[in-house]
Amino acid sequence: FDSTKVADVAAPTAVFASQEAPQTLSEIKKLGVYYPVSVVGRQFLVDLVKITNISNYFNAAGQAIKGRKDLAKQAVSGHVLNTIGMAGMYRLMIDACQHEFSTVLKLLLDPEVYPAVFFCQHGKDRTGLIATFVLSCIGLDPLNLLTEYSMSQEFLKPIGDMVHNDMAGVGLVEEFEFTPKAVLRNTLDYIKEKYNSVQNYLSKCGFPYQCQRRLRSMFLEEVPANVVPKSFLEQSIVRDTPGHCSFSLVNFLDIRKSGYCEKQGKVRKNWRRRFFVLDGRRLHYFSNHWDMNKAPINTIKITGSHVVRIREDLRDTHPHTIALTHHESRYLLIQGESEEDMLDWKAKLEEVIAENVE
């Protein structure tokens, strides 16, 4: 619920539950109880104005007086946020929205609110940061925080036109339409540099360590020390819970890299998008990340005999492609999302190969 005028948490509203999938805000309210929270609060707006140059400030004021709200937003948001970029906007939120973040996280401590859904206008920035904080409390490592965040880019596609129009409507450049890993990586680095850790930052926000531990305990279960995992991924996951795990990445041990890539089929030679997970001994791939609580489509045991090569001959048709081969025979063709992504997959695979030389 995108409500920038509600301070802290509005009084919860209880209404009759509905079995229908919600399509509008009024239908969402019918799900039961909703809490409108202004995540981008007064301090964020004050800080935004502080870094707005005087000409843009008076331009925005003039447009607001004339009732032209979109032009007023363009004069401030478009100019300032385009200058500092998405990473700068996130840093601004980290410093200015601490009380608001704490308010949302405290709501999630109440067992009565579950099952819970939190969202914003597009479900990627404010929602993305709150999800990052929740997963940090649970114990997800930075690499997988980046993966979870970047997944929003895939699920934004159905509303891509709406996101584009909304961003363009306030004068924001194309960067703000997506969820690049580099932006969250920059944000996590900023938190580490200024607040020492996400946990310290949340404590400063007003969500102390005991609350963080309580939130973690609500999502995880204790596993007895004498329990040995016996799943399809053997030692690759912490416990055997096929078909019952919501956040499978939390259960993987020693993840080196994960994310979506294109993969060429062995028989028909067609390319399909798959979700890959590389741990310290194996490369797994799934139809999508939601299927990680099921058996993977395939699992490749990485040995010292594997070789990774960049396929320069495919740059025109399938750029950013690497080949994972075994004993000189073609084993797997994987196309990364970018040159940087391809090189990172190559480096991580070579790292695992070197560790598994017999």
Side-chain angles (χ1 to χ4, degrees):
F1 178 28
D2 184 23
S3 173
T4 57
K5 295 182 180 179
V6 181
D8 298 330
V9 182
T13 302
V15 291
F16 292 106
S18 170
Q19 299 298 320
E20 300 296 327
Q23 300 296 323
T24 64
L25 179 58
S26 62
E27 292 178 353
I28 289 172
K29 294 177 182 179
K30 293 179 183 179
L31 290 175
V33 179
Y34 73 101
Y35 298 84
V37 181
S38 176
V39 173
V40 178
R42 183 180 295 107
Q43 189 58 51
F44 177 87
L45 299 177
V46 169
D47 290 351
L48 192 64
V49 170
K50 284 181 179 179
I51 57 176
T52 302
N53 64 45
I54 194 68
S55 62
N56 285 91
Y57 177 81
F58 282 111
N59 181 21
Q63 297 295 352
I65 291 173
K66 296 176 183 178
R68 301 170 179 172
K69 292 184 179 180
D70 287 345
L71 293 178
K73 288 181 180 179
Q74 287 181 22
V76 177
S77 299
H79 172 76
V80 178
L81 295 182
N82 286 339
T83 301
I84 64 177
M86 267 186 74
M89 180 183 74
Y90 278 26
R91 290 194 297 270
L92 199 64
M93 293 173 68
I94 292 298
D95 291 335
C97 304
Q98 297 179 9
H99 176 67
E100 291 82 0
F101 285 139
S102 174
T103 299
V104 176
L105 293 173
K106 286 177 179 177
L107 283 173
L108 295 176
L109 289 177
D110 183 2
E112 295 299 319
V113 306
Y114 290 89
V117 177
F118 55 90
F119 55 97
C120 56
Q121 186 172 1
H122 302 124
K124 72 180 193 70
D125 297 320
R126 289 164 287 182
T127 301
L129 287 174
I130 291 169
T132 296
F133 298 147
V134 171
L135 293 174
S136 293
C137 290
I138 291 174
L140 208 63
D141 62 275
L143 174 63
N144 287 313
L145 290 175
L146 299 179
T147 299
E148 291 287 339
Y149 171 77
S150 66
M151 285 177 185
S152 294
Q153 199 150 306
E154 182 73 16
F155 295 101
L156 282 170
K157 288 180 179 178
I159 61 169
D161 291 341
M162 184 188 77
V163 175
H164 172 76
N165 293 334
D166 288 346
M167 297 302 182
V170 292
L172 295 176
V173 295
E174 189 178 41
E175 175 194 17
F176 288 84
E177 300 175 23
F178 306 106
T179 56
K181 287 184 180 181
V183 169
L184 187 61
R185 185 183 296 115
N186 182 289
T187 304
L188 294 175
D189 289 344
Y190 178 73
I191 291 175
K192 184 175 182 180
E193 178 183 349
K194 187 168 182 178
Y195 301 95
N196 193 41
S197 68
V198 173
Q199 288 70 30
N200 283 348
Y201 168 73
L202 293 178
S203 182
K204 180 175 173 56
C205 290
F207 194 68
Y209 296 109
Q210 59 265 36
C211 289
Q212 297 176 40
R213 288 192 291 270
R214 182 179 166 192
L215 185 64
R216 176 185 173 90
S217 68
M218 293 172 68
F219 285 89
L220 300 181
E221 296 178 355
E222 290 290 336
V223 178
N226 61 345
V227 173
V228 179
K230 297 179 180 179
S231 68
F232 54 83
L233 296 177
E234 298 179 17
Q235 299 297 325
S236 296
I237 70 170
V238 174
R239 60 184 183 272
D240 185 16
T241 53
H244 296 90
C245 182
S246 297
F247 286 100
S248 294
L249 280 178
V250 175
N251 294 325
F252 280 85
L253 290 175
D254 194 23
I255 289 184
R256 306 302 177 86
K257 186 172 175 64
S258 60
Y260 281 97
C261 294
E262 297 286 333
K263 172 195 165 293
Q264 187 187 59
K266 288 185 177 181
V267 180
R268 298 184 179 181
K269 308 299 181 184
N270 56 330
W271 292 79
R272 290 190 175 182
R273 190 170 176 80
R274 300 299 188 205
F275 188 79
F276 286 80
V277 177
L278 174 67
D279 61 36
R281 296 184 300 167
R282 295 175 175 83
L283 178 66
H284 320 278
Y285 59 90
F286 306 81
S287 293
N288 53 66
H289 74 281
W290 296 114
D291 281 351
M292 288 190 299
N293 58 349
K294 304 175 184 178
I297 295 174
N298 193 16
T299 294
I300 300 169
K301 183 179 180 181
I302 304 297
T303 70
S305 302
H306 281 92
V307 177
V308 186
R309 295 189 179 91
I310 297 175
R311 290 293 299 268
E312 299 287 353
D313 57 312
L314 295 176
R315 280 196 177 273
D316 291 339
T317 56
H318 293 88
H320 325 310
T321 296
I322 56 175
L324 177 65
T325 59
H326 187 253
H327 294 304
E328 300 301 323
S329 61
R330 202 221 81 180
Y331 203 95
L332 189 66
L333 286 181
I334 306 173
Q335 181 181 10
E337 295 190 322
S338 64
E339 188 77 10
E340 179 185 9
D341 189 44
M342 175 195 71
L343 294 175
D344 193 37
W345 273 110
K346 182 175 184 293
K348 293 297 192 300
L349 281 165
E350 289 176 338
E351 180 182 282
V352 174
I353 290 171
E355 294 174 5
N356 286 278
V357 174
E358 298 177 353

